């Protein structure tokens, strides 16, 4: 019986253990069980490659080296009936394409190609080309209509790969069967691809296939050495496909070299890396290298620097298994059981680490990469004399003497003296050789060699996924076995089906049942390894681990095949067309596949709560579909914007995974590779290979395709203008907007292409010559950074479309024109001749703005605390004064309604003010006045570039942060608030909330404090607000505004802390198009810090008409987390709690009428405040139940 897994009942990632083949989020109602025994090989690893240009949807930057990836490689399963990767894509009618490359290589080298489709290796396995008189040839059998994306490679004699320069090549395979030929030139990747031949099946491709190799050598042999022949009947294992070590020489006497060569340079190394390098110097063979890894892992350094040790060990073992770190004989004699025993010790330690409470997601990510590099240690491999079949094979009487000698000396004796990864490579090459010509050798001999080969693959854990899974049967109960059978049957059906509609359903069924099987294994592994576990139990646990990891690998295969099917069916276009006709049935499959892709990440332990929230949202939006509420166009747009929000969130999840890999591996791999002398290309691309091999790669690719469709449906092109206008200047790419980020060579006006912003930046602080900013991800319009951009009059847009960002990068270093409006934005190359009145101003030298006048300061008596309603600007700052005014207006608002009858009622939290002068009094009381004044004076002229300003600001903040408000102040506050109340201390400086200087986000607010329950923590919070007057950002902001540093003063507003359901920022005039009839509100769940700080993600964005009551939804929220003060906590400890937000449960996302109601309320309140203050307002507030609180109002920039 098959059980459908719905997302809603997946409360734990191991709870989908009863998954079947259909149903769920896809609506595939029929059984997808199949029959037959053909199963493909799916245990895939990625061969290191040179970095290309980019990966769709993934931000790839690293401190040690920038990894720029270009293509969208995919891993796909092999042809039916084989356990290998072949040049043929799938069964069924094929198009024969002979690809010919006209290029010469050096002696000992040959050409290969690699590409996106199965017939080009799925970016995981190179397709070797053969030499002919007319050039290098690869004979491919592709699916009709398939899009091939590929590149040529030179394979050097030492196994290194040299990729041709330029972008990837693209070839559209004809839709009819036949034979064609393509002629190409090395490095000319932009050349027009012309298909020669016809559709009658007798074209040039057939001729090319029959062309003899005039060199007299088989392509599988290079310089007399043997290479496994994939197309000669021997399945090339993924283990051997990855091999980059020495070629295997068949020898008839003991010619194995004992002369160890290598490099062990520990210069600049310390900790785990140094231990590995020094240990490896004395570890020639494999078991000694395993010992080096074990000793590090279980030693003091390994336990004190656990993550660092795990990372270095994973890289070290990977390079050993791929032959990049070579193993040599050292004269010792240890059978493979020694290796198995060491592997078991490493495995036990890793299991101990995995079970620890402090085991982190990053450690989980690394550990999953160690397991496949360990040999097996089940009973037959820990026996005193394991793997003896090869001895019998080497002494058979039905094979030639020379062959017996080669088997004995190349495999048998070597394996039993010093086993190493090269032994599996040798065995596979030997098997390929003896099966090349059917009938040449005894059938019984070949059968025994094949059995031994399977045994050896089992020892190296190099078997296919199917072989791994079958090895689990003895440990499964009846229900678990049923789940296994469902998956294998679905997989078999899929392997026997070519592309098309049925294949798409089968792919989804296989992916669905795979997810259920993974959940079974994850659940079974949750319990941890008992200290008294038997060797048999430990060995079986290793099989479960490897099978679970192998299923994740195969999920990559299925996702890749599904994306290929989707692209073959037209990609985004059919989805766009259907959505515009108000039908979204065709979206169910791709969105459902995203759900299952995300679930793979959750099962791997990566941000499980985030994964679950994304699944719930996508499932909810699928179920809801397009609802007829606001009119056809608005209904379609709302549906698209809701889908977009969650897909953007999914892509951020993928980026977080990628970012973690980039934090963990590149720098360590670079140091370790340099120490060992690993080829620079392999080192540089180590992390790229890991990223390309991960499920997250395919999730990102699918999200990119769907986002393209969603943008089209919603009428967006990926641009969003925060500050409209026209700007010209040189396009410069920077990581962040910080001082010193612009190259010193960029003297004139610049447009910044910015990779990331967190909302704390000052645009002009990066340079007075910044005329415009293009940020490569979304940002709330009303965030602090958005407000500052408008105040500084810098054209500011965001662009989250990868294709447009890629186009922008082509313009880096060139003069461009940025044009932004409420409708979108455009960037074009600019020759400087055609200037409008607007851009003449922006492209010339910056025009100084009039200096901002700080408000006057009148210091209150020592120990004074002011009532909120009695505060004024001179004693308490503009913010506190405005809050006092708001408190008065709150009473009036109860009597006001709009023409539509919507009330303007709002509340204001109770509060008091610690006025100007209290900070100076505290500093004087501590005897620090002279030092304080000296430091403040230095901030006026301190340089930014050499860190001088940073040093002074740090000293100032430390000084001010060390003082405390006097006891009289605390006593007054204690009497005014309940001991159980939770308060927030907020800045109210004389240099913020002014008409020409909002100071948005410059100064601190500390929530969840109380002077009665924790006076020290409260006093510290007040001092932190005072000290925030002297952050580098604040000092630079005052410099830009022309405010002398000594004039800055800080009062502190103390108010009740509201624990809101929602927080909002409201501009009473639309900030982008300046429509005075429309307010724009941005809303976030929980406390408002998420909204204002520039946290990655988007808020709910509503535009509401003040007079008609009309409300438009411009964006749906997708912030991953919400900030809250934990309900029921009695202690006011200054802490906030982050929790994952699930928007499928949020009324603003699911209830159109509630969204309209909130928009109308905010429009009415905003218009009321605008009228009372006499100018457009920038308003902050929150919503608790049915009540709206206003906590701040200042002039809108």
């Amino acid at each position: 019986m098959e059980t459908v897994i719905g997302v809603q009942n997946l409360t734990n990632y191991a709870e989908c253990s009863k998954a079947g083949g259909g149903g769920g989020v896809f609506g595939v109602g029929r059984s997808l069980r199949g029959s037959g025994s053909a199963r493909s090989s799916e245990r895939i690893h990625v061969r290191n490659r040179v970095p290309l240009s980019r990966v769709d949807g993934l931000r790839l930057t690293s401190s040690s080296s920038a990894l720029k990836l270009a293509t969208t490689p995919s891993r796909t399963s092999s042809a039916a009936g084989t356990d290998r990767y072949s040049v043929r894509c799938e069964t069924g009618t094929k198009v024969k394409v002979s690809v010919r490359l006209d290029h010469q290589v050096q002696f000992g080298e040959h050409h290969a190609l690699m590409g996106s489709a199965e017939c080009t290796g799925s970016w995981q396995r190179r397709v070797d080309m053969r030499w002919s008189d007319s050039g290098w040839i690869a004979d491919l059998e592709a699916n009709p209509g398939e899009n091939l994306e590929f590149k040529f490679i030179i394979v050097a004699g030492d196994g290194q790969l040299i990729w041709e320069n330029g972008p990837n090549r693209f070839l559209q395979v004809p839709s009819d069967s036949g034979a064609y030929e393509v002629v190409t030139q090395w490095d000319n990747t932009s050349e027009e691809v012309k298909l020669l031949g016809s559709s009658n099946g007798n074209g040039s491709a057939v001729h090319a296939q029959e062309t003899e190799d005039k060199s007299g050598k088989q392509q599988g042999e290079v310089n007399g050495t043997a290479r496994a022949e994939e197309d000669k009947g021997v399945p090339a294992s993924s283990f051997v496909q990855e091999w980059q070590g020495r070629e295997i020489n068949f020898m008839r006497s003991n010619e194995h070299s004992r002369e160890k060569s290598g490099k062990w340079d520990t210069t600049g190394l310390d900790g785990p890396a140094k231990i590995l390098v020094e240990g490896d110097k004395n570890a020639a063979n494999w078991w000694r290298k395993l010992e080096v890894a074990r000793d590090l892992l279980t030693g003091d350094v390994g336990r004190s620097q656990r993550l660092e040790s795990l990372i270095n060990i994973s890289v070290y073992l990977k390079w050993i298994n791929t032959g990049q770190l070579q193993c040599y004989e050292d004269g010792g004699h240890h059978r493979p059981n020694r290796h198995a025993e060491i592997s078991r010790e490493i495995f036990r330690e890793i299991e101990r680490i995995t079970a620890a409470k402090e085991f982190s997601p990053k450690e989980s990510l690394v550990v999953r990469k160690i397991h496949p590099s360990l040999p097996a240690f089940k009973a037959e491999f820990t026996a005193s004399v394991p793997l003896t079949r090869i001895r019998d094979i080497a002494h058979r009487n039905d094979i030639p003497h020379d062959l017996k000698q080669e088997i004995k000396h190349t495999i048998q004796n070597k394996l039993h003296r010093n086993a190493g990864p090269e032994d599996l490579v040798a065995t596979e090459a030997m098997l390929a050789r003896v099966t090349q010509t059917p009938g040449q050798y005894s059938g019984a001999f070949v059968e025994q060699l094949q059995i031994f080969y399977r045994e050896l693959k089992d020892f190296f854990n190099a078997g296919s996924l199917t072989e791994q899974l079958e090895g689990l049967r003895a440990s499964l109960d009846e229900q678990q076995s049923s789940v296994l059978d469902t998956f294998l049957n679905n997989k078999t059906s899929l392997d026997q089906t070519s592309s098309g509609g049925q294949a798409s359903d089968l792919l989804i069924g296989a992916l669905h049942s795979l997810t259920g099987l993974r959940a079974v294994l994850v659940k079974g592994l949750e319990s941890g390894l008992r200290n008294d576990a038997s060797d048999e139990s430990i060995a079986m646990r290793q099989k479960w681990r490897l099978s679970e990891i192998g299923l994740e690998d195969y999920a990559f295969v299925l996702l890749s095949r599904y994306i290929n099917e989707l692209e073959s069916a037209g990609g985004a276009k059919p989805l766009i067309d259907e959505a515009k006709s108000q039908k979204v049935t065709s979206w169910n499959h791709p969105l459902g596949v995203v759900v299952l892709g995300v679930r793979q990440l959750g099962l791997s332990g990566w941000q499980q709560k985030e994964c679950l929230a994304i699944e719930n949202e996508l499932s909810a939006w699928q179920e809801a579909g397009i609802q007829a509420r606001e009119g056809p166009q608005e209904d379609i747009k709302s549906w698209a914007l809701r889908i977009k929000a969650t897909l953007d969130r999914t892509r951020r999840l993928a980026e977080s995974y990628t970012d973690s890999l980039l934090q963990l591996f590149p720098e360590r791999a670079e140091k370790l590779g340099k120490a060992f002398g690993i080829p620079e290309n392999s080192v540089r691309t180590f992390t790229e290979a890991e990223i390309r091999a991960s499920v997250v790669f395919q999730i990102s690719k699918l999200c990119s395709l769907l986002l393209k469709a969603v943008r089209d449906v919603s009428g967006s092109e990926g641009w969003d203008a925060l500050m409209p206008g026209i700007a010209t200047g040189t396009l410069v790419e920077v990581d962040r907007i910080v001082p010193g980020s612009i190259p010193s060579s960029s003297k004139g006006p610049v447009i910044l292409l910015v990779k990331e912003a967190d909302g704390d930046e000052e645009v002009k602080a990066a340079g007075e010559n910044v005329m415009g900013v293009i940020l490569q991800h979304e940002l709330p319009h009303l965030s602090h950074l958005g407000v500052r951009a408008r105040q500084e009059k810098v054209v500011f847009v965001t662009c989250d479309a990868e294709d447009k960002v890629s186009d922008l990068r082509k313009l880096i270093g060139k003069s461009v024109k940025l044009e932004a409006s409420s409708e979108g934005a455009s960037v074009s190359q600019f020759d400087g001749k055609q200037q409008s009145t607007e851009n003449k101003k922006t492209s010339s030298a910056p025009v100084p703005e009039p200096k901002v006048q700080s408000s006057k300061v009148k210091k209150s008596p020592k120990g004074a605390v002011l009532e909120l309603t009695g505060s004024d600007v001179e004693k308490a700052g503009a913010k506190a004064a405005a809050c006092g005014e708001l408190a008065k207006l709150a009473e009036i608002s109860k009597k006001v309604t709009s023409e539509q009858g919507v009330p303007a009622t709002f509340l204001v939290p109770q509060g008091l003010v610690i006025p100007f002068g209290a900070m100076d009094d505290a500093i004087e009381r501590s005897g620090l006045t002279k030092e304080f004044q000296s430091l403040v004076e230095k901030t006026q002229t301190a340089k930014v570039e050499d860190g001088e300003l940073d040093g002074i600001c740090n000293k100032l903040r430390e000084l001010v942060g060390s003082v405390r408000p006097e006891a009289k102040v605390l006593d007054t506050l204690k009497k005014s608030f309940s001991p159980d109340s939770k308060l927030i201390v907020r800045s109210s400086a004389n240099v913020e909330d002014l008409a020409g200087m909002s100071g948005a986000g410059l100064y601190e607010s500390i929530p969840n404090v109380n002077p009665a329950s924790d006076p020290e923590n409260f006093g510290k919070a007040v001092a932190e607000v005072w000290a925030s007057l002297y952050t580098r950002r604040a000092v630079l902001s005052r410099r830009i505004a022309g405010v002398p540093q000594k004039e800055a003063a800080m009062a502190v507003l103390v108010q009740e802390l509201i624990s809101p359901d929602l927080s909002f920022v409201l501009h009473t005039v639309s900030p982008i198009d300046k429509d005075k009839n429309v307010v724009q509100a941005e809303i976030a769940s929980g406390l408002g810090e998420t909204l204002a700080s520039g946290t990655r993600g988007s808020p709910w964005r509503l535009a509401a008409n003040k007079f008609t009551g009309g409300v438009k939804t411009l964006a749906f929220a997708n912030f991953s987390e919400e900030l809250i003060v934990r309900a029921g906590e009695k202690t006011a400890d200054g802490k906030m709690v982050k929790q994952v937000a699930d928007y499928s449960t949020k009324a603003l996302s699911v209830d159109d009428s509630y969204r309209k109601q909130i928009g109308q309320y905010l429009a009415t309140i905003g218009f009321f405040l605008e009228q009372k203050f006499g100018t457009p307002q920038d308003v902050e507030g929150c919503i608790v139940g049915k009540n709206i609180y206003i906590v701040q109002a200042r002039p809108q920039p």
Side-chain angles (χ1 to χ4, degrees), residues 503-523:
S504 181
D505 286 351
L506 290 172
L507 279 164
I508 291 169
L511 185 58
H512 204 48
S513 57
L514 176 149
T515 307
L517 181 55
R518 271 198 80 191
V520 168
L521 300 183
V522 169
K523 186 70 175 177

Side-chain angles (χ1 to χ4, degrees), residues 7-57:
V7 172
Q8 307 305 326
N9 62 15
L10 186 63
T11 56
N12 182 297
Y13 267 86
E15 290 300 316
C16 52
S17 57
K18 298 180 181 180
V25 294
F26 308 106
V28 182
R30 59 188 177 81
S31 169
L32 295 175
R33 292 176 182 261
S35 59
S37 59
R39 294 164 185 157
S40 63
S41 170
E42 322 76 11
R43 179 76 180 284
I44 306 107
H45 301 277
V46 181
R47 191 183 295 275
N48 286 337
R49 297 184 291 276
V50 293
L52 306 177
S53 61
R54 69 177 176 84
V55 175
D56 285 346

